[in-house]
Amino acid sequence: MTDRKHTGRDEHISESSRYSTSRQSRRGSRYRDKLSPEAAAQLKKQEKEKAEEDKNRAKAQAAELKKQSKEASEERKRQEKERQLRRQEAAQGRRQADERSQQRLTDRENRRRQRREELARQAWEESRQRRQQELLEEAQEAEENELPEPGWESEEIVAEAAAVETDEAEEAMPAGDEQELVEEEPEEDEYLDEEDESDVDEYLDEEDESDVGEYLDEEGSDADDDLEVELDVDQELDEEDEPEEDEYLDEEDESEEDEYLDEEEKEEDLDSKKEPCGETHENEEKTAGEEKAEEIAEKKISLGARLAALARKWLTRRNLAIAGGCILAVAGISAYSVRAVYFSRHFYPGTVVFGQDCSEKTIEEVRASLDELAAGYQLTVSAREAEDEVITASQIDFRYEDDQGLEQTMKNQLCVLWPIMQLVRGEQKVVIRTGCDEEKLEAAVSGLSAMQKDNMRTPKDAYLAADDSLFKVFPEDPGTALESESVISAIRLAVKKDQTQVDLEEADCYLKPEIFEDDEELNAEKEARNAVVGAHITYDFGDRQEVLDAESIFEKLVTTTTNGKYVLDPDKVRSYVFELAEKYDTFGKVHTFTTSFGSTVELYDGDYGWQIAGEETYDQLLQDLKEKKEEVIEPVYSYRGVCRDTDDIGGTYVEISIEAQNMWCYQNGELMVDTPVVTGNPNKNNETPAGGVWAIDAKMTDYVLVGEDYRSPVDYWMPFNGNIGIHDMQTRGVFGGQIYLYAGSHGCVNTPLDAVREIYNIVSIGTPVIVY
């Protein structure tokens, strides 16, 4: 059995050269050769003071760096706030510019529409005046060339006159034309007399004075370029046609009139010549009745000749074409007028009122169904991330209000231009005036599910955050929070416009984030940060880990230079390593241990534990950060234990109780050995050191323990505290109890052979030994 005071120390150290060098260095100042207790205490005190001074200096540096970081953060926040204000002002300016641009486009479209309608009106007015002038001219011409009424002649005379001139008429026109003329002339005269004087003139007067005149007052003077070109062409054609037609009529009338006069003179000469030649003696003896009959016959012949001449004048292809054209023109104007009058009281096809097709319906017919439609009105409200909801007419007291809107719509149809209007207008939705109870409307809106506070999620700005080893811009969250006033306004407007669907998102009723994913400053900040981060380092501490990802690297190890650039700060890296050592080192620190009796003891002494080598770990970390490595590593240790968990003693250890004079050996948490022992004799100043955790330094067999007054061979030797160790003592027959007080060892733990053999096979160099 060895003794701390034995003289064979040099021999023991020589024979123990197989001990682990790491375990020799772990002892530190405790095991320095030939140091007096006072010198050792003084050295330990100096080391403690130096460690305390280093710790205070590191804390001061950390506080200063934290203060600088806080100031830099506040400056960044101030700059960010200024940028947000500038963005808001720019957005406001863009919105105002968009509104002005939209107003200009609306004004321009209105002017173009007014210009087209005005030109269409002018075209119609010119056409109407031209047609009216043509009708007047044709009426005058017909009046000048009108046949004399026979008056006293009977139908038989007319028929006989027609028979006389049949041969001559056949030469002037083809077969069938005479009958057509006889049938058409009365219709034409009747149509001109009745339709022109009544419907047409009355219609022209009424329309000119009402629709067209009012249209001229209300509409503008602009015109569309394409329509202007088309109307100019029509006007030129009319101006070219009119002189030619008049000239042709004049020439033809003069020629035919001369021909008629010549033929009439010839017939008169012929009659005068026949009169003396046909005279006989018998004529002198004729009665008065016979003379009257002859006179009537002569008048018949004269009338027939005149009728034949007039027929030859009028029954020509040119006059027949003109007459037919006049008839068709008058018929067309009449049909056009009838249709125009119809659309002065009926809506055009494609007219929609309150969602209902009102094509070719009158105002009275439409108004009759509006109340019924208003009672069934429903407004579907669509909200973000929610199901559609319905507001009914009864909820808001919805009703139709007669504001003469239907009459105004009918008036604006411009019925005199009905063909053009039907071509250009397409479907026409008529907005009628409707009303509702304002308080009930607000109550209905407040009752919507989307308006409940629990269903509103506040919008969130896009933000920059770490995503593993790099920073990433995360998109904004639009949320579901609604602006109450905007919702009420949007629904009120939809009700006024008779809409049946309103989308609150399209109506711009939601609160909006201020910063979006594509924000330039946010993305620039991301690129600047990613230039200095990129590593992902995980320090393994058994049941704990320390992770250096993009966020922790930027917050803990990066600083901002005077020119605003981000760089790795070596001082911050060194401070971080110091913090790791303070947090995870166990060497030289108190261990809390639960004994086999269930009690807890504090262990202040010993040489077991873990200690990080600061400089080596700093160099390793700085290099890994620069190379942007992604790895799981351990710090560089100057002292190591066998377990790196929070309880670094682990599940395999040797426990020795001085008071109980007993020793236990656990393997992976399971009790393997429970044996009595004999420890050092405290009465001879050879007590076994207690109150600490030590590590087994070596394992040897067949070893000889040499002291000042002894030489003891042993089968198993496991030193853990310098020359203090566990070994067998075969000269002892009894262990445990109070033996150590009068026959104790020189400081070692004497153990029965079987027990020490089993312990030897379980433990290894570095296994902790707890003595209390």
Side-chain angles (χ1 to χ4, degrees):
M1 184 177 296
T2 60
D3 193 320
R4 282 180 292 180
K5 299 180 181 179
H6 68 78
T7 58
R9 179 180 178 85
D10 295 335
E11 179 183 356
H12 173 70
I13 293 174
S14 174
E15 292 178 356
S16 302
S17 59
R18 291 176 297 165
Y19 288 6
S20 168
T21 56
S22 65
R23 297 302 305 153
Q24 292 289 346
S25 62
R26 187 183 295 111
R27 294 191 195 94
S29 60
R30 171 184 287 278
Y31 307 110
R32 293 174 183 172
D33 294 337
K34 298 180 181 180
L35 280 178
S36 63
E38 294 78 5
Q42 181 67 23
L43 182 59
K44 186 175 181 180
K45 180 179 179 181
Q46 292 176 355
E47 291 177 349
K48 185 175 181 180
E49 291 176 351
K50 186 176 183 301
E52 186 68 23
E53 182 180 353
D54 293 341
K55 181 177 180 180
N56 292 335
R57 184 168 56 253
K59 287 183 177 179
Q61 292 177 352
E64 180 63 23
L65 292 173
K66 184 175 181 181
K67 180 180 178 182
Q68 295 177 357
S69 177
K70 182 178 180 181
E71 292 176 351
S73 177
E74 291 176 352
E75 178 63 20
R76 286 196 299 273
K77 289 180 179 179
R78 184 188 63 78
Q79 294 175 356
E80 181 65 22
K81 186 174 181 181
E82 292 179 353
R83 287 194 293 269
Q84 290 179 357
L85 291 175
R86 290 196 298 271
R87 284 196 295 270
Q88 291 175 358
E89 292 175 355
Q92 179 67 21
R94 288 194 296 271
R95 284 195 296 271
Q96 293 176 355
D98 292 341
E99 292 174 357
R100 290 193 298 270
S101 177
Q102 184 63 34
Q103 184 61 39
R104 288 195 298 271
L105 291 175
T106 302
D107 294 343
R108 181 180 177 184
E109 183 62 26
N110 290 337
R111 289 195 300 270
R112 290 176 64 86
R113 177 180 59 80
Q114 294 171 358
R115 187 179 179 187
R116 288 194 297 270
E117 293 177 353
E118 171 64 15
L119 195 52
R121 184 197 61 76
Q122 292 176 357
W124 176 87
E125 177 65 20
E126 292 175 359
S127 176
R128 184 190 66 80
Q129 293 176 357
R130 188 166 56 251
R131 295 303 180 189
Q132 187 177 15
Q133 182 64 30
E134 290 176 357
L135 289 175
L136 292 175
E137 292 176 355
E138 291 173 359
Q140 291 175 0
E141 184 178 350
E143 184 176 345
E144 292 174 358
N145 299 322
E146 186 176 7
L147 295 175
E149 296 181 358
W152 52 271
E153 293 90 348
S154 63
E155 295 180 9
E156 291 80 1
I157 297 174
V158 176
E160 184 178 354
V164 173
E165 49 83 31
T166 299
D167 295 336
E168 297 178 359
E170 288 178 354
E171 297 177 0
M173 69 177 215
D177 289 349
E178 180 183 2
Q179 181 65 26
E180 181 180 355
L181 178 62
V182 172
E183 294 176 355
E184 289 180 355
E185 284 179 352
E187 293 178 0
E188 179 181 355
D189 295 338
E190 179 181 358
Y191 181 83
L192 289 174
D193 294 339
E194 295 179 0
E195 291 295 331
D196 291 351
E197 294 177 1
S198 61
D199 291 345
V200 176
D201 293 341
E202 180 181 355
Y203 176 78
L204 290 175
D205 294 338
E206 291 177 356
E207 289 298 318
D208 290 346
E209 293 175 2
S210 60
D211 292 348
V212 177
E214 182 175 353
Y215 184 85
L216 285 171
D217 294 337
E218 293 176 353
E219 296 296 320
S221 59
D222 294 340
D224 184 75
D225 295 336
D226 297 336
L227 185 58
E228 183 178 3
V229 173
E230 181 179 350
L231 294 176
D232 289 342
V233 173
D234 294 339
Q235 184 175 358
E236 291 176 3
L237 293 175
D238 293 338
E239 292 175 356
E240 291 174 2
D241 291 341
E242 288 177 0
E244 293 177 359
E245 184 175 356
D246 295 338
E247 181 179 358
Y248 177 83
L249 291 175
D250 294 339
E251 293 176 354
E252 186 176 281
D253 292 343
E254 291 176 359
S255 61
E256 291 179 351
E257 185 176 0
D258 294 341
E259 180 181 355
Y260 168 75
L261 293 174
D262 294 339
E263 291 179 354
E264 187 175 11
E265 291 175 357
K266 291 178 181 180
E267 289 177 355
E268 291 178 353
D269 294 339
L270 181 61
D271 293 338
S272 62
K273 290 179 181 180
K274 284 181 180 181
E275 190 171 331
C277 293
E279 191 176 14
T280 61
H281 178 74
E282 295 177 357
N283 290 341
E284 296 178 353
E285 297 178 355
K286 291 179 180 177
T287 64
E290 291 175 349
E291 292 177 357
K292 185 64 175 179
E294 290 177 359
E295 184 180 353
I296 292 173
E298 291 175 358
K299 290 182 177 180
K300 288 181 180 178
I301 295 171
S302 177
L303 179 59
R306 293 180 66 187
L307 290 174
L310 290 174
R312 285 194 298 271
K313 173 184 176 182
W314 286 98
L315 296 180
T316 62
R317 291 183 181 275
R318 173 64 178 175
N319 288 339
L320 285 174
I322 294 173
C326 291
I327 293 172
L328 292 176
V330 172
I333 292 174
S334 177
Y336 186 98
S337 302
V338 170
R339 197 64 173 165
V341 172
Y342 178 81
F343 282 122
S344 69
R345 296 189 296 271
H346 294 76
F347 289 109
Y348 284 135
T351 301
V352 178
V353 180
F354 205 57
Q356 300 295 316
D357 184 9
C358 296
S359 300
E360 302 192 11
K361 289 185 179 181
T362 65
I363 293 176
E364 291 73 17
E365 292 173 342
V366 174
R367 185 178 288 118
S369 62
L370 284 179
D371 291 335
E372 182 180 352
L373 292 173
Y377 175 74
Q378 288 185 339
L379 178 64
T380 301
V381 182
S382 300
R384 183 186 295 167
E385 300 180 15
E387 295 183 357
D388 290 352
E389 300 180 75
V390 176
I391 296 177
T392 63
S394 59
Q395 286 181 275
I396 60 177
D397 192 17
F398 181 81
R399 58 191 177 276
Y400 160 65
E401 296 180 355
D402 189 0
D403 62 345
Q404 301 300 308
L406 295 176
E407 287 78 358
Q408 186 62 39
T409 300
M410 181 68 73
K411 192 174 184 179
N412 291 339
Q413 285 193 147
L414 297 179
C415 56
V416 295
L417 301 178
W418 61 267
I420 298 175
M421 295 300 292
Q422 290 191 75
L423 288 174
V424 301
R425 71 195 295 274
E427 184 180 84
Q428 179 71 26
K429 291 184 178 181
V430 179
V431 178
I432 63 173
R433 182 177 178 181
T434 56
C436 65
D437 188 286
E438 190 68 22
E439 293 183 359
K440 291 184 178 180
L441 175 66
E442 294 181 4
V445 172
S446 300
L448 294 173
S449 176
M451 290 294 294
Q452 306 311 307
K453 185 176 181 181
D454 293 342
N455 297 331
M456 291 190 188
R457 189 175 71 255
T458 304
K460 296 181 180 179
D461 294 339
Y463 63 95
L464 182 65
D467 183 20
D468 198 9
S469 59
L470 293 172
F471 280 92
K472 176 183 175 182
V473 175
F474 289 85
E476 67 282 355
D477 178 10
T480 58
L482 288 161
E483 292 180 334
S484 178
E485 292 300 325
S486 298
V487 175
I488 293 174
S489 298
I491 292 179
R492 183 189 296 116
L493 181 61
V495 170
K496 286 184 177 180
K497 291 185 176 181
D498 311 327
Q499 295 175 350
T500 58
Q501 179 88 20
V502 61
D503 191 318
L504 298 182
E505 187 161 10
E506 292 180 358
D508 196 21
C509 297
Y510 285 92
L511 296 175
K512 299 180 181 63
E514 295 182 358
I515 302 176
F516 294 86
E517 185 178 6
D518 57 355
D519 185 80
E520 294 182 0
E521 295 183 4
L522 198 61
N523 283 275
E525 178 70 10
K526 179 194 72 173
E527 298 299 330
R529 293 189 180 190
N530 287 340
V532 294
V533 301
H536 192 282
I537 299 171
T538 302
Y539 279 113
D540 183 14
F541 294 102
D543 58 354
R544 298 154 298 169
Q545 289 183 335
E546 285 286 333
V547 179
L548 283 174
D549 57 7
E551 183 175 3
S552 56
I553 291 173
F554 187 79
E555 290 180 355
K556 297 178 181 180
L557 309 180
V558 174
T559 189
T560 306
T561 63
T562 54
N563 58 0
K565 292 184 63 178
Y566 297 128
V567 294
L568 286 171
D569 190 335
D571 293 334
K572 288 187 175 183
V573 176
R574 194 182 303 276
S575 296
Y576 176 74
V577 173
F578 176 79
E579 291 173 2
L580 288 180
E582 285 290 316
K583 184 176 181 180
Y584 293 103
D585 279 357
T586 61
F587 182 83
K589 294 184 177 181
V590 177
H591 286 79
T592 300
F593 178 75
T594 302
T595 68
S596 297
F597 299 108
S599 60
T600 301
V601 295
E602 300 290 336
L603 306 172
Y604 294 91
D605 206 353
D607 64 352
Y608 177 83
W610 299 81
Q611 187 176 62
I612 295 175
E615 287 300 320
E616 291 82 354
T617 302
Y618 161 77
D619 293 338
Q620 178 197 55
L621 176 58
L622 190 61
Q623 185 65 25
D624 290 346
L625 291 172
K626 291 179 178 179
E627 296 177 1
K628 298 186 176 182
K629 290 186 177 180
E630 298 186 10
E631 57 185 356
V632 179
I633 61 174
E634 285 186 342
V636 180
Y637 288 105
S638 55
Y639 297 108
R640 303 176 66 90
V642 294
C643 178
R644 198 62 188 92
D645 292 343
T646 304
D647 180 11
D648 63 341
I649 292 175
T652 300
Y653 58 89
V654 176
E655 177 185 352
I656 301 170
S657 173
I658 301 297
E659 182 179 359
Q661 288 293 290
N662 200 75
M663 180 168 64
W664 300 267
C665 181
Y666 291 86
Q667 184 177 25
N668 297 327
E670 182 180 356
L671 179 63
M672 306 300 295
V673 177
D674 184 355
T675 179
V677 295
V678 175
T679 61
N681 188 343
N683 295 322
K684 294 183 178 181
N685 202 24
N686 291 328
E687 70 273 11
T688 301
V693 183
W694 289 266
I696 292 177
D697 294 328
K699 292 173 60 178
M700 290 176 283
T701 58
D702 299 328
Y703 189 71
V704 178
L705 303 176
V706 179
E708 293 180 355
D709 54 354
Y710 66 87
R711 184 179 179 87
S712 300
V714 297
D715 290 347
Y716 299 96
W717 167 238
M718 293 171 281
F720 61 83
N721 185 0
N723 295 325
I724 306 299
I726 303 169
H727 60 82
D728 56 286
M729 180 55 68
Q730 300 181 27
T731 58
R732 285 186 183 276
V734 180
F735 296 87
Q738 301 297 316
I739 297 174
Y740 77 104
L741 295 177
Y742 56 86
S745 69
H746 290 82
C748 289
V749 180
N750 296 163
T751 310
L753 180 61
D754 292 340
V756 77
R757 180 187 299 113
E758 189 172 357
I759 291 172
Y760 185 90
N761 292 329
I762 292 173
V763 303
S764 59
I765 295 175
T767 299
V769 178
I770 299 98
V771 184
Y772 57 90

